[in-house]
Amino acid sequence: MMHAAVSQYVFSGNPSWSNMLVSGLSTIFTQHQFHQVTHLETLWDLKDHDLVIYDKASLGNPASQLISPLERGGKWLIVNSDPLNDESAVGFIALGFSGLIVRDYTLEMLPRAIRALLADQLWFSREAMSSSLKQLVNVGGHCGHSVNVLGAQYQLSAKEQQVFHYLLQGKSNKEIALGMNLSLSTVKNHVSNILQKTHKQSRHQLTTLLLDGPGEKRQALSVSA
């Protein structure tokens, strides 16, 4: 029985790095078809076994571009990433990304990660996977998914995501400080950072982020850019 050919898309804004990567991977995965991609518009309606290698160093945060592998299809692997805390990685899992490799280990770990993804496994740290499962259990499916996606989209830090959870529950700064064992001034700084990153004027507007559709978020980001 013949298996469908796997297409690997190297999506990067760095042509020399992309050329080097394709040359190297072609010698390892000789039965695969490799494509160098520079425009996001071409990555739609991908087959389940297709793989997109996303170069975060040259393209930036995929969540801020509202990239959702669940909508586009295929398996998406983020490479050349800066080190992330586990809570940020949870956001990428919620968006449908299949794996992430930090910059210093990309070339070393990439072949192993590709094989894992093609075997329908994920390539994240154990801590990130554990944290993702705990949030699904403790927060609840839809709400937890939405908050994780927003955390990745707006690049909230681990503490900011925790504060964000409390804010969505209507907690005051004092209640958040007690719940997280932080000083009141520290909580105020986190709230200020969250409002700045999400382009909201007040804490009461944050709940609208859970109601906005993809089109509305894209417009908001383009206006603020």
Side-chain angles (χ1 to χ4, degrees):
M1 179 178 178
M2 294 184 62
H3 295 280
V6 174
S7 292
Q8 293 199 33
Y9 299 89
V10 180
F11 183 24
S12 174
N14 184 339
S16 60
W17 181 85
S18 181
N19 286 331
M20 178 271 296
L21 190 67
V22 168
S23 297
L25 291 177
S26 296
T27 64
I28 300 174
F29 300 94
T30 56
Q31 302 300 315
H32 294 193
Q33 299 175 354
F34 289 87
H35 310 273
Q36 292 175 259
V37 179
T38 57
H39 298 289
L40 184 61
E41 291 77 12
T42 63
L43 296 173
W44 282 104
D45 300 321
L46 301 176
K47 297 180 177 63
D48 290 342
H49 53 261
D50 290 341
L51 175 64
V52 178
I53 299 172
Y54 181 96
D55 179 17
K56 189 172 184 288
S58 66
L59 299 172
N61 183 7
S64 66
Q65 300 182 50
L66 300 176
I67 296 175
S68 173
L70 296 176
E71 297 176 355
R72 294 174 177 270
K75 304 177 190 300
W76 290 61
L77 173 65
I78 301 171
V79 300
N80 286 333
S81 172
D82 50 312
L84 297 176
N85 53 58
D86 293 330
E87 286 78 4
S88 296
V90 167
F92 287 116
I93 295 173
L95 279 168
F97 286 90
S98 297
L100 181 145
I101 310 177
V102 298
R103 184 182 295 107
D104 292 344
Y105 298 101
T106 290
L107 296 180
E108 175 187 350
M109 305 301 296
L110 186 53
R112 291 176 57 189
I114 290 174
R115 292 189 182 97
L117 266 60
L118 294 177
D120 292 327
Q121 301 173 14
L122 297 181
W123 191 268
F124 290 96
S125 69
R126 292 181 180 179
E127 292 77 12
M129 294 297 297
S130 176
S131 180
S132 180
L133 289 173
K134 287 179 181 178
Q135 289 200 27
L136 285 173
V137 172
N138 295 334
V139 181
H142 178 72
C143 180
H145 171 89
S146 299
V147 172
N148 290 336
V149 168
L150 291 169
Q153 177 182 332
Y154 294 106
Q155 301 188 70
L156 302 182
S157 69
K159 290 294 185 182
E160 288 167 355
Q161 287 195 47
Q162 294 176 33
V163 172
F164 188 38
H165 273 282
Y166 279 114
L167 291 174
L168 293 177
Q169 296 171 24
K171 302 292 186 180
S172 67
N173 287 351
K174 185 176 181 180
E175 290 173 322
I176 297 173
L178 290 173
M180 296 182 62
N181 195 27
L182 298 174
S183 69
L184 191 58
S185 60
T186 299
V187 172
K188 289 180 179 179
N189 286 335
H190 285 316
V191 173
S192 177
N193 289 337
I194 292 170
L195 293 175
Q196 182 177 9
K197 290 180 178 181
T198 58
H199 314 293
K200 295 300 181 182
Q201 300 299 316
S202 70
R203 57 199 295 143
H204 302 295
Q205 294 180 356
L206 291 174
T207 55
T208 63
L209 293 171
L210 295 174
L211 304 176
D212 290 342
E216 294 172 283
K217 292 176 184 176
R218 186 176 292 108
Q219 182 180 15
L221 286 173
S222 63
V223 169
S224 62

